[in-house]
Amino acid sequence: METNRLLDFARKDLNDLLKWWMTHTPDEINGGFYGVVRGDNTPNGAADRFIVVNARLVWTFSAAYHLTKNAKYKKYADRAYDYLTRFFYDEKHGGFYTYVDYKGTAVNDRKMTYGNAFAVYGLSEYARIFSCDAAKKLALETANHLDTHMWDAQYKGYFEVASRDWQYMPNILMIQYEPESQKTMNTHLHILEAYANLLRIDGDNKLLRHRVRTLLYLFLNKIINNDNWHFNYFQKRDWTLTNPNYSLGHDIEGSWLLYEAAEILSEPEALADTKRVCANMARAVYDMGISPEGGIYTEYDVHERSYSDQFSWWEQNEGVVGFLHAYETTGERKFLDASLASLDFIEKYFIDRKHGGWYAYINRDLTPDTARDKCNPYICPYHNARMSMEIIRRLEKC
């Protein structure tokens, strides 16, 4: 079967990838994981550390242990969980700081909704896999802070950034170049992902179930453009579009994450609506988001009618999973071909066969950008490890 190529790659690369992270990123002097590791595997021991990476490491190693039962993965899940809860957690006001320095002192104590969403995601996975009541309690507490302080009761959805004591800071985004915007597709996608994962372990929580349902329908009715089946990228408070460009990686990622959330919600009407929309999103990326070599473009500038200058690792991961999911749900052969093409693109260009691990960025001439880090505030094994785990989970059941 052609899908065996996906499965063979996933089994090997999950092991190779996480071996690289276990070898090169732990800081044995100050604890936790380095904030930056360069392309040649040398760490920057003095670099600050970001909530999102640390929370994603909790999720990644917990999920990998659940899939493989490799005891080393539990060791590193425990390490990431301990560091997250010891140094990023705000004992006074609750929630999680945005950055700590290499010694664990908060250097940016704002409360980023995106970062706290990933804290919920990592904590809920750790709680689910290791039956940890403390992690579940902290995940629910963090979700409650987001609902209490960051929820927009008038227009629905979540604001982006608050001060340490949870006072909303308008017009400050995770991505700073959108001064008119107050809400982002990306933050809401990962809140939905986190809350759906939390719902797995707290299915009787009516407020949480209501939030997942509300977020899902916000996507279907406000965040997805039903004329072209791409996400609306940035929005004003009332969901007015502020940036018409397409984030193609998020489009294909959302095409399976939204469906996963609807499956967890388990409401037939919502699942049927979501299935239809997600198939259309995958078709939209298939039609205009794939390079001649099979790679997924990062962004498309609507006004300039041009694509980004580089390919990044995570869009390729989401292409493999998103197109595989579309093939499973629609039976359309073109999606399996696109998933396999994304995998081929990864194998040819993104695996660093000299130093191990993955290159993060590939230039448009298909040469690796070796000046880029392999680990930094936005580069971690969440996307590529999750890709392999999704392939294994979906295909080993066949």
Side-chain angles (χ1 to χ4, degrees), residues 182-241:
Q182 295 189 50
K183 294 173 182 172
T184 69
M185 159 275 297
N186 192 24
T187 290
H188 285 82
L189 182 63
H190 294 297
I191 296 176
L192 177 60
E193 177 186 33
Y195 280 17
N197 206 48
L198 186 55
L199 194 60
R200 294 183 200 266
I201 59 172
D202 198 21
D204 294 330
N205 187 322
K206 292 182 180 179
L207 176 59
L208 183 61
R209 179 170 291 277
H210 171 69
R211 284 287 189 254
V212 171
R213 183 188 305 112
T214 301
L215 282 165
L216 191 59
Y217 277 102
L218 276 175
F219 272 96
L220 298 181
N221 296 308
K222 297 289 186 181
I223 301 176
I224 296 168
N225 185 328
N226 282 250
D227 292 325
N228 60 32
W229 304 110
H230 295 283
F231 281 138
N232 289 331
Y233 207 170
F234 295 94
Q235 300 89 18
K236 293 182 180 179
R237 182 183 175 188
D238 64 359
W239 300 103
T240 302
L241 181 67

Side-chain angles (χ1 to χ4, degrees), residues 256-269:
W256 72 271
L257 280 182
L258 296 178
Y259 188 89
E260 179 183 69
E263 280 192 309
I264 294 169
L265 186 62
S266 298
E267 296 178 358
E269 182 178 351

Side-chain angles (χ1 to χ4, degrees), residues 14-59:
L14 181 63
N15 177 72
D16 292 348
L17 174 73
L18 294 184
K19 181 179 179 181
W20 186 91
W21 278 83
M22 292 185 294
T23 301
H24 296 289
T25 66
D27 182 346
E28 301 301 348
I29 297 174
N30 298 294
F33 300 83
Y34 292 118
V36 169
V37 178
R38 302 179 184 92
D40 62 359
N41 298 346
T42 58
N44 178 353
D48 293 339
R49 301 173 182 190
F50 186 39
I51 175 62
V52 173
V53 168
N54 282 262
R56 285 174 166 182
L57 288 171
V58 177
W59 181 88

Side-chain angles (χ1 to χ4, degrees), residues 128-374:
R128 185 169 78 99
I129 304 310
F130 302 117
S131 301
C132 179
D133 290 338
K136 178 180 177 180
K137 181 180 178 182
L138 192 52
L140 288 166
E141 175 195 300
T142 306
N144 183 61
H145 280 299
L146 292 173
D147 288 340
T148 301
H149 301 291
M150 304 306 286
W151 177 254
D152 181 355
Q154 181 174 357
Y155 293 104
K156 304 187 185 305
Y158 290 85
F159 297 120
E160 291 281 318
V161 179
S163 61
R164 181 186 175 187
D165 61 352
W166 291 103
Q167 300 301 306
Y168 167 53
M169 304 175 74
N171 301 111
I172 297 177
L173 299 183
M174 179 185 73
I175 299 173
Q176 297 293 339
Y177 58 77
E178 282 294 325
E180 290 186 88
S181 303
Q182 295 189 50
K183 294 173 182 172
T184 69
M185 159 275 297
N186 192 24
T187 290
H188 285 82
L189 182 63
H190 294 297
I191 296 176
L192 177 60
E193 177 186 33
Y195 280 17
N197 206 48
L198 186 55
L199 194 60
R200 294 183 200 266
I201 59 172
D202 198 21
D204 294 330
N205 187 322
K206 292 182 180 179
L207 176 59
L208 183 61
R209 179 170 291 277
H210 171 69
R211 284 287 189 254
V212 171
R213 183 188 305 112
T214 301
L215 282 165
L216 191 59
Y217 277 102
L218 276 175
F219 272 96
L220 298 181
N221 296 308
K222 297 289 186 181
I223 301 176
I224 296 168
N225 185 328
N226 282 250
D227 292 325
N228 60 32
W229 304 110
H230 295 283
F231 281 138
N232 289 331
Y233 207 170
F234 295 94
Q235 300 89 18
K236 293 182 180 179
R237 182 183 175 188
D238 64 359
W239 300 103
T240 302
L241 181 67
T242 59
N243 184 323
N245 295 342
Y246 304 155
S247 179
L248 297 161
H250 286 110
D251 289 341
I252 195 64
E253 180 185 24
S255 74
W256 72 271
L257 280 182
L258 296 178
Y259 188 89
E260 179 183 69
E263 280 192 309
I264 294 169
L265 186 62
S266 298
E267 296 178 358
E269 182 178 351
L271 184 59
D273 287 346
T274 305
K275 181 179 180 180
R276 174 184 59 83
V277 169
C278 287
N280 285 331
M281 293 179 71
R283 292 184 185 107
V285 178
Y286 181 88
D287 288 343
M288 56 84 64
I290 304 174
S291 76
E293 302 84 7
I296 307 298
Y297 291 117
T298 298
E299 291 183 4
Y300 179 75
D301 188 310
V302 172
H303 295 309
E304 297 294 329
R305 296 185 179 181
S306 63
Y307 294 98
S308 300
D309 290 335
Q310 291 187 315
F311 299 94
S312 64
W313 84 104
W314 70 268
E315 286 97 350
Q316 317 316 314
N317 307 147
E318 300 306 333
V320 172
V321 179
F323 287 131
L324 177 61
H325 172 79
Y327 172 66
E328 291 176 326
T329 54
T330 69
E332 295 177 29
R333 170 67 202 216
K334 66 182 182 182
F335 289 134
L336 178 58
D337 292 339
S339 180
L340 291 166
S342 294
L343 183 78
D344 289 342
F345 193 76
I346 288 168
E347 286 197 285
K348 287 179 182 177
Y349 303 114
F350 276 92
I351 308 300
D352 183 348
R353 305 191 190 282
K354 180 179 179 181
H355 297 291
W358 287 47
Y359 299 114
Y361 294 91
I362 300 298
N363 300 314
R364 287 290 290 277
D365 66 2
L366 305 179
T367 58
D369 187 344
T370 55
R372 296 278 197 140
D373 302 321
K374 286 183 178 171

